[in-house]
Amino acid sequence: MSDCLFCKMVAKEIQPDIVYEDEQILAFRDIHPKAPTHILVIPKQHVATLNDLHDKQLAGHLLQSVAQIADAEGIAETGYRTVINCNSAGGQEVYHLHLHLLGGRQMSWPAG
């Protein structure tokens, strides 16, 4: 998708602060962090929303990678939160599936 912000990051047209990358995913620091650790994990393949994710292998890889990234960031033991916003009422702003990894502080509930 030529106008997708995250696709431009995957294509290296825009340089995010990358913390992890492999053949299927890209993970980078959020430019407007909501916690001391706030990383976005995206599939390199354009998938607009969680409703459009039909590849179970990719879904599993995303989640396993989040756990590895949390460990590498030093927040796995104390705890972290993962968030996937879906469509406008769910708070999604960029229509390229992304998972928020938040940690480094006590999270409260309800999330909002």
Side-chain angles (χ1 to χ4, degrees):
M1 304 276 315
S2 62
D3 61 338
C4 173
L5 174 66
F6 291 168
C7 285
K8 289 179 180 181
M9 291 178 182
V10 170
K12 307 296 189 215
E13 295 171 22
I14 297 173
Q15 294 295 321
D17 184 2
I18 296 172
V19 298
Y20 179 81
E21 182 174 13
D22 66 22
E23 63 284 341
Q24 295 180 55
I25 69 165
L26 180 66
F28 51 91
R29 298 197 188 282
D30 194 297
I31 61 170
H32 299 293
K34 306 300 184 217
T37 299
H38 188 168
I39 295 169
L40 301 179
V41 183
I42 68 169
K44 287 185 172 180
Q45 168 190 345
H46 184 85
V47 178
T49 73
L50 184 58
N51 293 337
D52 302 307
L53 179 60
H54 304 295
D55 183 337
K56 291 179 184 178
Q57 183 178 13
L58 178 58
H61 185 63
L62 280 167
L63 293 176
Q64 289 176 331
S65 297
V66 166
Q68 292 172 349
I69 295 164
D71 187 51
E73 290 288 314
I75 60 172
E77 289 298 317
T78 57
Y80 57 93
R81 176 171 289 166
T82 57
V83 177
I84 301 174
N85 300 321
C86 186
N87 287 321
S88 61
Q92 187 172 6
E93 294 177 358
V94 177
Y95 282 80
H96 183 124
L97 177 65
H98 56 286
L99 190 150
H100 296 259
L101 168 60
L102 302 143
R105 68 168 170 83
Q106 180 63 49
M107 300 293 157
S108 60
W109 195 260

